[in-house]
Amino acid sequence: MSEHTDSAGRSASTGGDTTTCGVAPTIKAREDVDGCGCLECRNIETTTTNRTVLDALVWSVRLFRSYPSILAFAGVIIFTNRLLEIDSITVLPTPAIGVIEAVTAFAFIISIRAYVGTIVAGELTGESVTVREGLRRSIVRTPALVGVIVVIVFVVMTVPFFVSFPLFLLVGMIPAPVEMVSFPVAAAVGGIIFAVPFLFLLFKFWFAPEACVIGQYGPIESLWVSWRITTNYRRKILLIAVIAIGSALSLYLPTVFPEIGTRLALVSPVIDIISSSVSELLSVVWASAYAHIYVQEIVS
């Protein structure tokens, strides 16, 4: 029997108010909850807080069997992406293709993550969130979520630039060090100086989208909540590694599979389609795991 079935009859109180079946719960930090913020009052089981990152991934895969709407929505977007990659789509006007690409990218980056996060929050609190309520929460939180993404992109690009700018300014004014250590070495040092704060900030703000959707925090509050979650996360080194590996594989699989297919004399376009679709499905699984980790840490 699935966890969804086991918890279907429970009612949730995640923010001090009793929610009815089908209503997406709001899960905030304990200090932001009106009333008792213990696990029992939030209707969250201790097994939720004890799951590892790997357990959260396995749990996410099982979740999709209980909520096929996740795969249905993701499947429509993935199918559209594959259509955009074949030659027959060129019969459409170029502006139309650009609009479709923008819509599918927005839906995959924003809407799917918001919808999955809403479903995960309901499942972990024993609420069976309906498709209608999941979509409603996703649409309502879209403006704030877009604000979160914009702020994250701005911060993770601006701060590393200002950190590494003195080095590039020094190299420009005094070219002697570059000649002494060679340009590749100097470029590598500059890249590292830029990459370290970039990756650090990206990790610190990683759960801001979940805080925005599940916790219904504002954009700036979401960044602060994510910062606190990652600061208190004891297994942060492992989490960074898992996130980095998972994200790298999602980007790397579409490029490596066609090469393998060519070497094996298989049809490269078919392998390309399969690998791209699999990597995008894996990103949906990761979105569910991120939502689980947010709930896990915000209530701890």
Side-chain angles (χ1 to χ4, degrees), residues 25 55 59 69 81 90-91 113 124 141 146 152 159 178 194 197 207 216 227 243 256 286 293:
D55 292 335
W59 180 90
S69 60
N81 286 337
T90 56
V91 298
R113 189 160 180 175
L124 293 178
R141 299 305 299 169
V146 171
I152 290 176
V159 173
V178 177
F194 182 90
F207 299 105
Q216 298 200 66
W227 189 282
I243 288 176
V256 69
W286 276 103
I293 293 172

Side-chain angles (χ1 to χ4, degrees), residues 119-132:
I119 297 299
V120 169
E123 182 69 6
L124 293 178
T125 56
E127 281 296 311
S128 181
V129 178
T130 63
V131 175
R132 178 179 179 180

Side-chain angles (χ1 to χ4, degrees), residues 84 112 192 206 228 267 279:
L84 291 171
I112 286 294
I192 293 174
W206 198 263
R228 287 186 297 172
V267 181
S279 66

Side-chain angles (χ1 to χ4, degrees), residues 9 57 59 96 125 133 150 167 178 180 201 221 235 265 275 286:
L57 286 170
W59 180 90
T125 56
E133 179 58 27
V150 170
L167 174 64
V178 177
M180 294 176 58
L201 291 172
E221 290 178 310
R235 296 175 299 278
S275 61
W286 276 103

Side-chain angles (χ1 to χ4, degrees), residues 187-293:
V189 172
I192 293 174
I193 293 177
F194 182 90
V196 169
F198 175 85
L199 294 176
F200 174 77
L201 291 172
L202 190 63
F203 166 69
K204 298 299 291 185
F205 297 147
W206 198 263
F207 299 105
E210 283 68 36
C212 179
V213 175
I214 302 175
Q216 298 200 66
Y217 289 101
I220 303 302
E221 290 178 310
S222 298
L223 298 182
W224 174 240
V225 169
S226 178
W227 189 282
R228 287 186 297 172
I229 288 177
T230 52
T231 299
N232 296 329
Y233 201 81
R234 296 179 180 179
R235 296 175 299 278
K236 63 177 66 176
I237 302 300
L238 174 61
L239 180 59
I240 293 175
V242 171
I243 288 176
I245 293 173
S247 300
L249 286 177
S250 297
L251 296 174
Y252 184 63
L253 284 177
T255 60
V256 69
F257 277 9
E259 296 178 3
I260 296 176
T262 302
R263 294 171 186 173
L264 297 178
L266 297 176
V267 181
S268 180
V270 175
I271 300 298
D272 190 13
I273 291 173
I274 295 175
S275 61
S276 298
S277 301
V278 169
S279 66
E280 289 174 352
L281 282 175
L282 286 176
S283 67
V284 178
V285 177
W286 276 103
S288 177
Y290 299 149
H292 187 289
I293 293 172

Side-chain angles (χ1 to χ4, degrees), residues 13-30:
S13 177
T14 59
D17 298 324
T18 302
T19 58
T20 59
C21 183
V23 177
T26 298
I27 306 178
K28 294 178 175 288
R30 181 169 300 184

